[in-house]
C-alpha cells in the first residue's frame, strides 16, 4: 500500500472535517504565494494527482509498498 500526498491544485479537493464541511476561499495574493512556493511555480492539475494514483494501481506497481509519494510540484523537495 502506498500513500499519495497531493498539495495545491487548480481545483481544491473537498475537505470534510469531522466537525462539518468547511469552505476555504483563496485570495489572489495568497494564491500566488502558494503557486510560487513550488519548484514548478504553478498549481497542479487534479488529473496529475489522478495519474499517480492510476500508476500505483497498475499490476506493475505491485511491489511498491509503504511509500509516501508527494504530488506537489517539488514543494516538498524545495522546502524539505
Amino acid at each position: 500500500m502506498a500513500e499519495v500526498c497531493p498539495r495545491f491544485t487548480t481545483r481544491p479537493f473537498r475537505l470534510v472535517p469531522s466537525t462539518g464541511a468547511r469552505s476555504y476561499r483563496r485570495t489572489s495574493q495568497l494564491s500566488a504565494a502558494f503557486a510560487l512556493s513550488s519548484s514548478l511555480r504553478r498549481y497542479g492539475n487534479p488529473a496529475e494527482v489522478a495519474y499517480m494514483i492510476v500508476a500505483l494501481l497498475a499490476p506493475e506497481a505491485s511491489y511498491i509498498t509503504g511509500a509516501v509519494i508527494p504530488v506537489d510540484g517539488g514543494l516538498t523537495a524545495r522546502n524539505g
Side-chain angles (χ1 to χ4, degrees):
M1 185 161 107
E3 181 178 347
V4 175
C5 302
R7 287 291 179 119
F8 308 106
T9 61
T10 53
R11 288 183 56 115
F13 292 94
R14 291 186 180 261
L15 301 177
V16 185
S18 59
T19 57
R22 285 188 178 174
S23 174
Y24 295 95
R25 230 176 89 188
R26 291 186 184 146
T27 65
S28 59
Q29 187 177 23
L30 183 61
S31 212
F34 281 137
L36 290 175
S37 65
S38 80
S39 295
L40 296 180
R41 304 277 194 252
R42 66 175 176 82
Y43 279 101
N45 183 312
E48 293 171 310
V49 176
Y51 293 140
M52 176 53 66
I53 294 168
V54 168
L56 289 170
L57 292 172
E60 295 82 4
S62 64
Y63 202 67
I64 299 173
T65 60
V68 177
I69 303 170
V71 181
D72 62 5
L75 184 66
T76 304
R78 183 181 172 120
N79 296 326

